[in-house]
Amino acid sequence: MSSSIYSYVVLFFLFSIVPYIQSQPIAPAPTTETSPINLTAILETGHQFTTFMRLLNTTQVGFQVSVQLNSSDQGMTIFAPTDNAFNNLKPGTLNGLTYQQQIQLMLYHIIPKYYSLSDLLLASNPVRTQATGQEGGVFGLNFTGQAQSNQVNVSTGVVETRISNALRQQFPLGIYVVDKVLLPEELFGTKNTPTGAPAPKPITSSPDADSPAVDEEHKSSGSSVKRTSLGVVLGFVWFCCSVIYIFLKL
């Protein structure tokens, strides 16, 4: 009798608890997916990177960065020159670059690894960029500064400037504002500037007297002299004959 009562109690409990469990909402499983990072949207918040964004777009480097940024586990670091930085370049600096060189210039502002400001001071100089290896060039950046004040300077060998502030400093992307365009030594260094005066044109020596052309000239000159002498002689003979003829008439 007692076992039957126990069985009824267990069945009652099961029939009561199962509907309650089924009525409870199931919590979604945690996900590790994150929304893609929009580089252009981040730069637009700074309101001073119009030229930089335009170059990223025309060279297709911006698209390349977006793809790599959302597929790499290393992250990226970008140095964004302000519009004033581009305006302070010498006239014709950008227009004097080929399309490939403009791509290299943009890639030079990108490091294929995430660095915080303090990490940059610990990095081994020169730090490779996305342009490293292009046409055999180093295309590296050198960082110096003081860790205590979080002051970081970046040098290319052509220009040196201080990193003004961080537009974003969170893995996987760091974007740091610079007041100068980072000009790589491989494109703007003195070794790429023509040095010295152009080689003088070889001086053409005067034709030698024994050359065929000179011989022909001498022959032509000799013939002219001979013709002139003969004409003088004939003229003198004609004059003498005229004088004799007149004398005989008298």
Side-chain angles (χ1 to χ4, degrees):
M1 180 70 178
S2 59
S3 60
S4 299
I5 296 175
Y6 177 77
S7 299
Y8 283 120
V9 170
V10 171
L11 290 174
F12 177 78
F13 176 77
L14 290 176
F15 281 110
S16 300
I17 197 66
V18 168
Y20 174 78
I21 295 175
Q22 291 178 341
S23 65
Q24 297 302 310
I26 300 175
T31 177
T32 57
E33 293 183 0
T34 57
S35 58
I37 297 176
N38 190 328
L39 174 60
T40 301
I42 297 174
L43 291 173
E44 285 178 344
T45 61
H47 305 290
Q48 55 179 342
F49 305 104
T50 304
T51 304
F52 186 57
M53 288 190 296
R54 176 176 59 81
L55 288 171
L56 287 174
N57 182 49
T58 57
T59 59
Q60 299 297 313
V61 171
F63 174 76
Q64 176 185 337
V65 168
S66 297
V67 172
Q68 186 172 344
L69 182 62
N70 292 289
S71 61
S72 171
D73 58 354
Q74 295 294 313
M76 304 190 83
T77 303
I78 299 176
F79 300 96
T82 62
D83 290 332
N84 285 336
F86 283 99
N87 292 335
N88 290 333
L89 290 174
K90 293 181 180 179
T93 298
L94 293 180
N95 293 334
L97 298 176
T98 64
Y99 180 69
Q100 179 61 30
Q101 289 173 332
Q102 289 185 7
I103 294 177
Q104 292 173 338
L105 179 62
M106 290 297 96
L107 292 176
Y108 188 61
H109 287 74
I110 303 169
I111 298 177
K113 182 179 179 181
Y114 171 77
Y115 285 92
S116 65
L117 285 176
S118 57
D119 289 339
L120 289 173
L121 293 177
L122 300 176
S124 178
N125 291 324
V127 178
R128 64 186 298 269
T129 66
Q130 285 285 79
T132 298
Q134 295 260 333
E135 298 181 359
V138 176
F139 286 96
L141 294 172
N142 297 284
F143 297 94
T144 57
Q146 298 177 353
Q148 296 82 358
S149 60
N150 223 21
Q151 176 182 334
V152 182
N153 300 321
V154 55
S155 173
T156 71
V158 177
V159 298
E160 181 175 358
T161 186
R162 179 180 176 180
I163 296 177
S164 301
N165 57 74
L167 195 61
R168 174 191 167 101
Q169 190 176 191
Q170 180 182 355
F171 186 85
L173 177 63
I175 302 180
Y176 304 111
V177 182
V178 288
D179 295 326
K180 291 184 180 180
V181 179
L182 304 181
L183 304 178
E185 194 169 12
E186 287 77 4
L187 297 180
F188 298 92
T190 54
K191 65 180 180 180
N192 295 299
T193 304
T195 56
K201 295 182 179 180
I203 300 175
T204 305
S205 59
S206 57
D208 189 76
D210 296 331
S211 65
V214 175
D215 289 342
E216 290 296 327
E217 183 180 351
H218 285 175
K219 289 179 182 178
S220 176
S221 177
S223 299
S224 299
V225 172
K226 289 180 181 179
R227 286 194 297 269
T228 302
S229 301
L230 180 59
V232 171
V233 171
L234 292 176
F236 180 76
V237 172
W238 180 82
F239 175 79
C240 293
C241 291
S242 298
V243 172
I244 295 172
Y245 178 79
I246 294 172
F247 180 79
L248 291 176
K249 284 290 185 180
L250 295 176

